[in-house]
């Protein structure tokens, strides 16, 4: 990805409460690490020879590399095992983390679907219920997918009639997914089985869905490490075998491109998005097909890869698209696929001083979340872009959700901050009020801690924001133990969210500092 390289800074000043006991602090320099062989490999970049003596370590399946990893782990394991209070710290971290965690509900046709983790489950369990007060029952428990816990749920989506759920399963952390279909009413998996799916979603249309896949690897033994070329888009009809699937799009002239088809909420439009990482860009081309116009093919809307385009929904004959085209902080436009020329676009939400983080639709309204000094602000607009209300949050923090059906009068969203555990609210689009839907059950008193935001000057004078979190009563005099975290890269924003694993540190007098260094999306593309 083009942009600033990732930078990770984790620093701990342990003046007040040493993490390492005195008996161990002097041993760091005497640890006997295994020797690492230097190879003769040399790479040539634009005519310059660059020595790469450790490239042999990239062969993660070789016996020599596995032995090197075993020896390294033995050194680390022996050192950590000698720390006398390690078990006590682990128990305290487990206690802080062990509480029920819920996702915001997805509701459709009277059904409510959400994920819940009892506290220490490896994966959250999917539940379904009738209405907001119905009795929940397990829809899918990913923890039962394999005996050793190495199979994981990798995305899921429901048909518009809520009859079927398509879901992916990843084995051993691989990006490869096997896709299956479940009958929602009976909870039973159907015989459908789709293989060689990677970097794809599942987009329903009628009694089937679109997905993207690669050709089956010629060497199945190296399927996890081999290069993937020529991603194609297919349509699968429920109840059929994969070899009966219909190919929707294929490009044999550009092997590295990613191709994906999504559908709008009403399944009227098929959206083909194409990305070309080999071209060194982060944008995507966009093609559209109107299903109501039988026999038509995909119509080009944007053919370059210079900018990003994300179709949010369709409003009548037009598409609602979030884009950074001539707008580094993003904007929202509507596009008529029959007249896709940029001169015919209509700006619904013009670019603002704050970056537009996300857009959702529900009940005929547009809900947009902006980021102001790394804190979320959400506003409700009508279909023309006229602002009607601001959603009030308890403090500065992170908010997500807000999506719903055209007929919905309420939407769900989650809110969290460093000292505000993840909480689910229901927002009424008519009364413009939020009500508590589900509070966090973590044993944590948010009033016992303080979060402040400060700004400091970087080396070149740039004003950088940073959050400081500490227990009440702590005097910030430069002598406190500090955990400093910073990340800048890949257009990722480090937002203020609740992390229960920080509680034990804060209780011991630590100050947690989160620096929003450049490289992320905190202030839009310029910050990235």
């Amino acid at each position: 990805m083009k942009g600033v390289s990732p930078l990770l800074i984790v620093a701990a000043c342990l003046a007040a409460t040493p993490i390492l006991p005195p008996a161990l602090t002097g041993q760091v320099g005497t640890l006997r690490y295994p020797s690492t062989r230097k190879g003769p490999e040399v790479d040539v970049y634009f005519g310059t020879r660059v020595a790469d003596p450790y490239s042999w370590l990239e062969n993660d399946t070789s016996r020599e590399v596995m032995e090197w990893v075993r020896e390294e782990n033995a050194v680390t394991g022996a050192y950590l095992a000698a720390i006398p209070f390690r078990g006590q710290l682990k128990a305290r971290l487990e206690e802080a983390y062990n509480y029920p965690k819920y996702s915001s509900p997805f509701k459709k046709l009277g059904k409510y679907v959400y994920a819940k983790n009892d506290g220490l489950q490896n994966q959250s369990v999917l539940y379904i219920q009738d209405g907001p007060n119905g009795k929940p029952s397990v829809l899918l428990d990913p923890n039962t997918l394999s005996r050793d816990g190495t199979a994981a749920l990798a995305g899921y989506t429901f048909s518009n009639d809520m009859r079927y759920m398509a879901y992916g399963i990843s084995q051993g952390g691989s990006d490869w997914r096997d896709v299956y279909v479940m009958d929602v009413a009976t909870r039973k998996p159907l015989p459908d089985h789709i293989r060689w799916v990677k970097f794809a979603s599942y987009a329903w249309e009628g009694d089937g869905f679109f997905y993207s896949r690669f050709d089956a690897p010629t060497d199945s033994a190296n399927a996890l490490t081999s290069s993937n070329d020529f991603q194609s888009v297919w349509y699968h009809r429920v109840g059929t075998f994969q070899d009966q699937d219909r190919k929707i799009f294929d490009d044999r002239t550009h092997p590295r491109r990613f191709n994906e088809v999504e559908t709008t909420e009403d399944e009227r439009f098929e959206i083909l998005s194409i990305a070309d990482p080999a071209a060194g860009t982060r944008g995507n081309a966009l093609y559209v097909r109107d299903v109501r116009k039988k026999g038509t093919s995909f119509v080009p809307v944007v053919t370059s890869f210079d900018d990003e385009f994300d179709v949010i929904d369709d409003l009548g004959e037009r598409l609602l698209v979030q884009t950074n085209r001539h707008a580094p902080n993003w904007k929202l436009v509507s596009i008529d696929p029959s007249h896709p020329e940029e001169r015919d676009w209509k700006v619904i939400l013009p670019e603002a001083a704050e970056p537009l983080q996300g857009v959702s639709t529900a009940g005929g309204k547009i809900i947009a979340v902006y980021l102001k000094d790394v804190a979320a602000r959400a506003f409700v607009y009508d279909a023309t872009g006229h602002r009607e209300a601001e959603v009030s949050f308890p403090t500065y923090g992170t908010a997500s959700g807000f999506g719903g059906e055209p007929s919905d009068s309420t939407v769900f969203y989650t809110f969290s901050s460093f000292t505000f555990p993840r909480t689910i609210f229901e927002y009424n689009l008519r009364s413009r009020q939020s009500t508590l839907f589900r509070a966090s059950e973590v044993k944590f008193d948010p009033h016992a801690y303080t979060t402040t935001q400060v700004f400091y000057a970087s080396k070149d004078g740039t004003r950088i924001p940073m959050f400081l979190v500490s227990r009440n009563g702590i005097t910030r005099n430069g002598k406190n133990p500090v955990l400093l975290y910073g990340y800048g890269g890949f257009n990722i924003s480090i937002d203020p969210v609740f992390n229960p694993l920080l509680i034990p540190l804060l209780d011991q007098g630590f100050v947690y500092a989160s620096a929003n260094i450049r490289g992320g999306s905190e202030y839009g593309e310029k910050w990235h």
Side-chain angles (χ1 to χ4, degrees), residues 213-274:
R213 60 161 292 182
F214 292 93
D215 296 337
T218 55
D219 183 4
S220 58
N222 294 316
L224 298 182
T225 56
S226 60
S227 176
N228 304 126
D229 295 328
F230 302 113
Q231 187 183 45
S232 54
V233 181
W234 298 74
Y235 179 82
H236 174 80
R237 191 177 303 277
V238 173
T240 63
F241 295 103
Q242 185 174 9
D243 59 10
Q244 298 174 276
D245 290 352
R246 177 165 51 96
K247 184 183 291 186
I248 302 299
F249 181 79
D250 192 16
D251 182 357
R252 307 306 291 187
T253 60
H254 299 91
R256 307 301 293 168
R257 287 184 177 179
F258 294 120
N259 310 296
E260 184 177 46
V261 166
E262 295 282 358
T263 55
T264 52
E265 185 69 32
D266 58 5
E267 298 185 359
R268 174 177 176 177
F269 292 100
E270 299 169 358
I271 314 297
L272 171 63
S273 178
I274 303 175

Side-chain angles (χ1 to χ4, degrees), residues 315 320 332 347-350 366 380-388:
L315 299 176
L320 201 60
L332 187 69
V347 177
I348 305 298
L349 300 179
I366 298 171
V380 181
Y381 303 84
D382 66 13
T384 66
H386 172 71
R387 181 184 293 182
E388 296 183 340

